[in-house]
Amino acid sequence: MPVDQSLSLNGRSIIGFSDSSDCHESSKAIDPSTGNEIEPPFFHASSSEVEWAIQLASDAFEFYSKTSGEERARFLEEIATQIEAIGEILTPRAMQETGLPEARIKGETGRTTGQLRLFAQVARDGSWTQARIDTAIPDRMPLPKPDIRSMLRPLGPVAVFAASNFPLAFSTAGGDTASALAAGCPVIVKAHSSHPGTAELVARAIQAAAEKTGMPDGTFSVLFGGGRTVGSTLVAHPLIKAVGFTGSTSGGTALMKIAAARKEPIPVYAEMGSVNPVVLLPDAVAKQSESIAAGLHISATMGVGQFCTNPGVVLVKSGDAGDALVRSFTEKMGETPAQVMLNPTIQSAYQSGVSAMESTEGVATLVSKAPDSSGNSCLGATAVFETDTTQFLSNETLSQEIFGPGTTIVRWSEKSDLLQALERFEGQLTGTLHATDKDLEEFSEALPILERKVGRIVYNAFPTGVEVCHSMVHGGPFPATSDGRSTSVGTHAISRFTRLIAYQDSPQSLLPDELKNGNPLGLARLEDGAFVLGS
C-alpha cells in the first residue's frame, strides 16, 4: 500500500513494522527562518527501544542477507516510488525544518530517488560482488591446487547517522542507507534533530516499501533521540557491524573512538570536515578572471555555504590579475544578502568562526557583515578574508573549516610558496585547479600533491555539486573522512558494508549463485584469471 498523503506525524521512532510506545523525553524541530518550534514533539527512543531495533535488525539479517539482487532491487525501487508519492507533504515539511527553498528540496528528492534506483541497478546486476573463481588443478605438482571461489558478502546490521545539511540525500533514505540495503544489510537510522518530521515521512515510505515487497520485519528502523542515548548505544552494540556518518569532525571522531574500543572493532565510514582548496593558476586568472570570480561566488554561497564541498580556501597569485579577480569576487560576496542557515547550532558555529578570523593576526577582513539580528532567524552573512602564504603556513587554524558562506583568500608569489601551502593541507574531499595547458606544464608539481591530499580533483569548474554515478568518489584522506579508501557517493559505496569470503572445495549446492558453475546469474566474473562477461 502507498503511504497515505494525509499522513500525520506522530513523533515516534519506527522500529521495523511497529512504532515505539515510550513517550517520555521529547524535543521539537525549529523553523530556522523564525526560530519557532514546529509541532509535533518527537519522542526520544528509550534504551530498551534501541535494543529492540538492533535485535530486530540482527534477526532480519539472517533472511535479508540471503535475498537475491533482484529482490533487493525491487525493494529499493519501491522506496523511490513511495517517496515520490508523498512529495506534496514531504516538500513543505522539509522546507519548514531546514529553511531550504522548494527547488532545492525537490532537487534533493530527485537525487535521493535517483540514487535508490541506481543502487537497485547495482544490486540487480550483481557485479559489485566481485565474484572470482580459481578452479582446481588436482594433478598439479608438487601440490594439488584446490578450487577456491570468493566474493563480497554483507556485513550485518548498519547504523546510519543522518546529516544536518542534506535532509534527504544524506539522511534517512540517503546514500548510506541505499548502499547498505543494496549490499544486503538491514539499516537503523539515527534521525537528525534538525529535521525529524522529514525523517519520519521518509521512514514511513521505506516501511511501506518493505511491507509491499516482502522484506523481513526489522530490515529498516529510524530512531529519534540524542547522540549519547541513541547514537553511542548503536555504535557500541555488538550486533551492529558498521556505521555510516555525515557530519562534523568532532562527531565523526567520537564515533570512531567508540567503535575502536569495542571488543570487536567495527568500521566507521564518516564524512567530516573539508575546506576544498581551490588553486587559481596565473595564466587562467589572466585570461578568465571575471568568469572564475563569478563561478567562485556561486560555489561559495550555494546552500549558504553549507555544502561539504564548499570552497573554503582559495589560493591566488599576487599581482594585478589576481587583484582584479579578488576584487570582483569580493564585490559579489559583499552584495550577497544574508540567508537562512540550517539550524541555530550551525549558525552560531559559523559566527564564532568568522569572529575568530576577524581577530587573527595577519588576516585582512575584506567582507564581513553582521546578519540582521531582528527576530530569531538563523541568518548567515557572507565573509571574505585574505592572508598570505607566510601567515597560512604558520597558523594551522587558517586551514580549518568554517562551515558557512565564508572564504579565505591566500595570496602566493612564488611557485614554491604555492607548493608549500598545498602540502600544508590535511585530507580534503576535493581539490580544484583552474589552469590552462601552459599552467599545467609550469605547475606540474601541484597535481601529485593534490592526488595525495584529496578524493576528487576538479579542473576548470567548481567543487560544489556531486554527481551520483558509478565513478564518483566523495571521500578523501583523514580528516575529510575516516577512511580515504571509501566513498559515500557513487556505486563504489556498496563495498563499505561488505566483507570478502572465500569458499574452498565447496559443493556446488552450498555455493551462492554468484559463484556457481555455469554462471546462472550471468555476472561479469574473474574466472581462472580471465575477466568473463556474463550473458
Side-chain angles (χ1 to χ4, degrees), residues 293-294 296-302 305 310-311 326-338 350 366-369 381-385 404-409:
L296 182 61
H297 166 250
I298 293 171
S299 185
T301 57
M302 186 178 294
N310 170 261
V326 171
R327 186 164 53 249
S328 176
F329 173 66
T330 300
E331 289 173 356
K332 290 175 172 58
M333 292 289 280
E335 294 167 355
T336 302
Y350 173 65
L366 303 184
V367 175
S368 181
K369 301 181 295 182
T382 55
V384 180
F385 305 99
T407 304
T408 300
I409 306 292

Side-chain angles (χ1 to χ4, degrees), residues 8-11 27-29 38-43 93 196-197 200:
S8 60
L9 300 172
N10 67 18
S27 57
K28 296 178 182 178
I38 311 171
E39 296 292 340
F42 287 81
F43 297 97
R93 180 72 192 198
E200 183 179 336

Side-chain angles (χ1 to χ4, degrees), residues 104 111 163-166 169-170 245-248 270-277 299-300 302-313 342 346 401-404 427-431 456 463-466 473-475 479-481 488-489:
R104 160 70 189 274
R111 172 175 171 174
S164 63
N165 60 334
F166 279 84
F170 281 86
F245 172 87
T246 301
S248 67
E271 184 215 305
M272 301 180 287
S274 184
V275 297
N276 306 294
S299 185
M302 186 178 294
V304 203
Q306 297 165 117
F307 282 13
C308 46
T309 51
N310 170 261
V313 176
L342 289 160
I346 289 175
E401 181 181 36
I402 302 176
F403 193 64
Q428 305 291 324
L429 293 172
T430 72
R456 175 166 59 108
T464 41
V466 182
V473 174
H474 188 59
T481 71
S488 62
V489 178

Side-chain angles (χ1 to χ4, degrees), residues 315 389 393 412 414-425 442-449 452-453:
L315 298 104
T389 52
L393 291 168
W412 53 276
E414 304 296 331
K415 179 167 68 172
S416 59
D417 298 332
L418 171 64
L419 299 180
Q420 287 181 48
L422 291 178
E423 289 284 8
R424 179 71 181 76
F425 286 102
E442 183 178 353
F443 294 88
S444 59
E445 300 94 330
L447 181 58
I449 299 174
R452 289 189 281 107
K453 298 288 184 178

Side-chain angles (χ1 to χ4, degrees), residues 30 32 164 192-194 248 306 341-353 378 403:
I30 294 175
S164 63
H192 198 280
S193 58
S194 290
S248 67
Q306 297 165 117
M341 301 191 79
L342 289 160
N343 59 54
T345 301
I346 289 175
Q347 193 260 2
S348 177
Y350 173 65
Q351 285 304 125
S352 296
C378 302
F403 193 64

Side-chain angles (χ1 to χ4, degrees), residues 118-165:
L118 177 63
F119 277 105
Q121 294 174 18
V122 171
R124 184 174 281 120
D125 171 75
S127 297
W128 68 271
T129 60
Q130 299 180 29
R132 297 186 177 194
I133 297 174
D134 284 281
T135 53
I137 305 177
D139 56 353
R140 188 186 67 175
M141 297 298 292
L143 294 172
K145 177 187 175 183
D147 182 282
I148 301 177
R149 304 173 185 226
S150 68
M151 63 180 290
L152 292 172
R153 296 290 290 159
L155 273 178
V158 172
V160 170
F161 288 72
S164 63
N165 60 334

